[in-house]
Amino acid sequence: MTQDNTTDLVIVGAGMVGLTLAALLAESGLRIRILESREVDAAQALSWEQSQRAEGYDPRVSALTVASQQVLTVAGVWSQIEQMRLMPYRAMDVWDGEGTGEIRFDCTELHEPCLGHIVENRVTQAALLQRVAGLAQCQLSVGVALTELSEPDADGLRTLTLSDGETLQSRCVVAADGALSNTRRLAGIGMWEWDYGHHAIVTTVTTEQANQATCWQRFTDDGPLAFLPLPDSHLSSIVWSTSPDHAKAVMELDDEGFCQALERAFEGRLGAVTHTDARYVFPLRQRHAQQYVKAGFAAIGDAAHTIHPLAGQGVNLGLMDAAALAETILDGLADGVNWHSDYHLRRFQRARQSENLQMAVTMEGFKRLFNAGGPLPRLLRNTGMTLMNRCSPVKNHIVQQAMGLAGPLPRLARRPVKE
């Protein structure tokens, strides 16, 4: 084994969460290798003007919180994202489609410029790729998969075998390769998981009326439907969570039929739905790793947990994982301790596992609450939403937590205190 085949940290997965971790560790002095199994065209991915803007909107978007914005600012990419394309949203309108309950959150009530930003996933990833490409200590290998992963040896090094035949050693391996993480499986970490009984349909649609810089969400017995505003005022990204049978029927409709069905499901809040881009559908499952860390190993983002998209918190949780793990590693380096040991990495697990589990339980509770039929559950839902909408202190506390302005956060996610 040559010195060139030894590195400090291997991050498996060049998605938003894995790349954010690499960017946050830019000043750490660690040698970092990033592995991505997909055949990413690096030149195309790094050129927003030529490859992204011309292709229209990515159907996959994220509602990034203030806390996530801060993490991406520290990672050195938020200004680049602003130069590309994003949509600040000023309000959220949530209502029960089977009753009269409705809650509206508005940034003016919190004296904030916005509640968050809708950002296409490929915009965030392109900015992160540009950042990582400029880091001398980072090496990105695309089209390469991890096939074998050893336990740590006496020196604390894990041996990795790659699909191209290369073998390397690393002090720490991070699984950031998504919900079906092969890296997590190779590390021998099991999952708790169950099916939500929902499929999610995502696409971009054009509406007769402007989106009003508002995130709209209608809850029905069959599942939530969200319209997320895009920079073009008559475009919205939608996430329609519904039963598998209904999703299948909706996907089989032609574009005109789909637009009509979507307009009815949304109660025409933005007038007629006049156009739809290509539609995509995927099943929704709840997953949670039984543990996040081992000696020389950590799992972050979807590799550690997935939740229902009804509150748009999935990517935000992953970015908080990246921030917390980066802090744990940086603190270990500063203190001169064995930063990749099981004992030290458990600081990251303690910081994030309970938070992620709490969010998963909350999302499951929301799903069950709005799936419950009958007059009594409907009355309780609508009464509760109406009362909450009238109680500004409670409502503002909830939205502050959702924005990442309150509650336990990694240091790198906390907004600087104004002098």
Side-chain angles (χ1 to χ4, degrees):
M1 188 74 63
T2 65
Q3 183 65 28
D4 289 341
N5 291 98
T6 302
T7 190
D8 296 307
L9 179 66
V10 172
I11 301 171
V12 185
M16 292 183 287
V17 174
L19 291 173
T20 296
L21 175 62
L24 290 172
L25 294 173
E27 305 300 324
S28 67
L30 295 176
R31 294 164 298 166
I32 302 171
R33 181 84 174 267
I34 306 169
L35 307 178
E36 175 53 62
S37 60
R38 295 170 299 170
E39 290 287 351
V40 177
D41 185 332
Q44 185 183 55
L46 293 174
S47 175
W48 162 254
E49 290 295 339
Q50 294 180 8
S51 69
Q52 309 296 342
R53 192 181 296 275
E55 295 178 6
Y57 286 92
D58 186 348
R60 302 166 304 157
V61 304
S62 298
L64 297 181
T65 63
V66 172
S68 291
Q69 177 183 345
Q70 177 61 22
V71 169
L72 293 170
T73 299
V74 176
V77 299
W78 186 255
S79 60
Q80 183 68 12
I81 290 171
E82 288 182 308
Q83 293 172 25
M84 293 180 182
R85 187 163 62 192
L86 52 67
M87 178 63 187
Y89 59 94
R90 298 192 298 271
M92 294 175 60
D93 207 323
V94 182
W95 74 100
D96 189 340
E98 306 303 322
T100 59
E102 186 165 353
I103 304 176
R104 182 173 177 83
F105 303 99
D106 196 296
C107 65
T108 58
E109 297 177 14
L110 299 171
H111 307 289
E112 294 285 341
C114 65
L115 297 180
H117 294 83
I118 304 299
V119 186
E120 297 156 80
N121 289 3
R122 72 180 177 202
V123 169
T124 305
Q125 186 170 20
L128 285 162
L129 280 168
Q130 290 182 25
R131 170 66 171 152
V132 170
L135 300 177
Q137 75 275 26
C138 284
Q139 178 184 350
L140 173 62
S141 301
V142 301
V144 178
L146 177 65
T147 59
E148 294 182 31
L149 177 64
S150 78
E151 291 297 313
D153 63 16
D155 296 322
L157 293 171
R158 286 180 178 267
T159 300
L160 299 82
T161 304
L162 309 185
S163 57
D164 62 359
E166 183 183 1
T167 300
L168 63 148
Q169 289 187 319
S170 179
R171 300 184 186 282
C172 188
V173 177
V174 175
D177 48 344
L180 302 179
S181 172
N182 183 55
T183 310
R184 184 194 62 230
R185 182 187 64 80
L186 290 173
I189 293 179
M191 297 290 286
W192 295 302
E193 61 181 297
W194 62 90
D195 197 319
Y196 275 122
H198 276 169
H199 283 192
I201 300 169
V202 297
T203 188
T204 302
V205 299
T206 305
T207 56
E208 181 183 12
Q209 298 174 17
N211 56 45
Q212 302 169 43
T214 297
C215 291
W216 311 82
Q217 188 155 44
R218 178 181 185 244
F219 283 94
T220 73
D221 290 346
D222 201 39
L225 168 61
F227 273 57
L228 308 175
L230 294 173
D232 184 316
S233 63
H234 287 267
L235 294 184
S236 295
S237 178
I238 70 141
V239 182
W240 191 353
S241 302
T242 186
S243 67
D245 288 343
H246 186 226
K248 182 176 183 295
V250 168
M251 288 295 290
E252 290 175 349
L253 296 172
D254 61 18
D255 285 355
E256 182 179 358
F258 174 78
C259 288
Q260 292 174 351
L262 180 61
E263 181 184 332
R264 289 193 298 271
F266 194 56
E267 298 182 337
R269 283 284 176 116
L270 297 179
V273 178
T274 59
H275 176 77
T276 178
D277 285 357
R279 293 166 260 157
Y280 304 88
V281 63
F282 53 91
L284 300 178
R285 290 185 66 81
Q286 161 70 256
R287 297 179 176 90
H288 210 105
Q290 294 172 6
Q291 62 192 88
Y292 287 10
V293 302
K294 286 186 170 184
F297 178 87
I300 60 176
D302 284 356
H305 48 78
T306 61
I307 62 172
H308 199 288
L310 65 86
Q313 290 297 311
V315 169
N316 293 303
L317 293 180
L319 293 177
M320 295 307 105
D321 289 351
L325 182 56
E327 282 179 12
T328 300
I329 293 172
L330 292 170
D331 288 348
L333 290 168
D335 294 340
V337 302
N338 188 357
W339 60 269
H340 49 86
S341 69
D342 177 69
Y343 177 81
H344 187 72
L345 289 175
R346 285 189 181 277
R347 292 176 54 181
F348 157 70
Q349 179 169 288
R350 288 193 297 271
R352 293 303 305 156
Q353 191 173 45
S354 60
E355 288 298 308
N356 292 332
L357 279 169
Q358 181 178 334
M359 181 61 72
V361 170
T362 301
M363 294 305 99
E364 180 67 17
F366 268 114
K367 177 182 175 295
R368 290 179 183 271
L369 175 64
F370 283 94
N371 276 2
L376 182 57
R378 189 172 296 120
L379 174 64
L380 292 174
R381 284 199 308 263
N382 284 275
T383 301
M385 292 177 76
T386 300
L387 290 175
M388 186 181 295
N389 196 49
R390 293 174 180 172
C391 185
S392 294
V394 174
K395 185 173 70 168
N396 290 344
H397 177 70
I398 290 173
V399 75
Q400 282 181 320
Q401 285 195 312
M403 291 171 64
L405 293 173
L409 289 169
R411 291 194 314 272
L412 297 177
R414 297 173 194 163
R415 192 162 61 177
V417 177
K418 296 181 180 179
E419 296 292 339

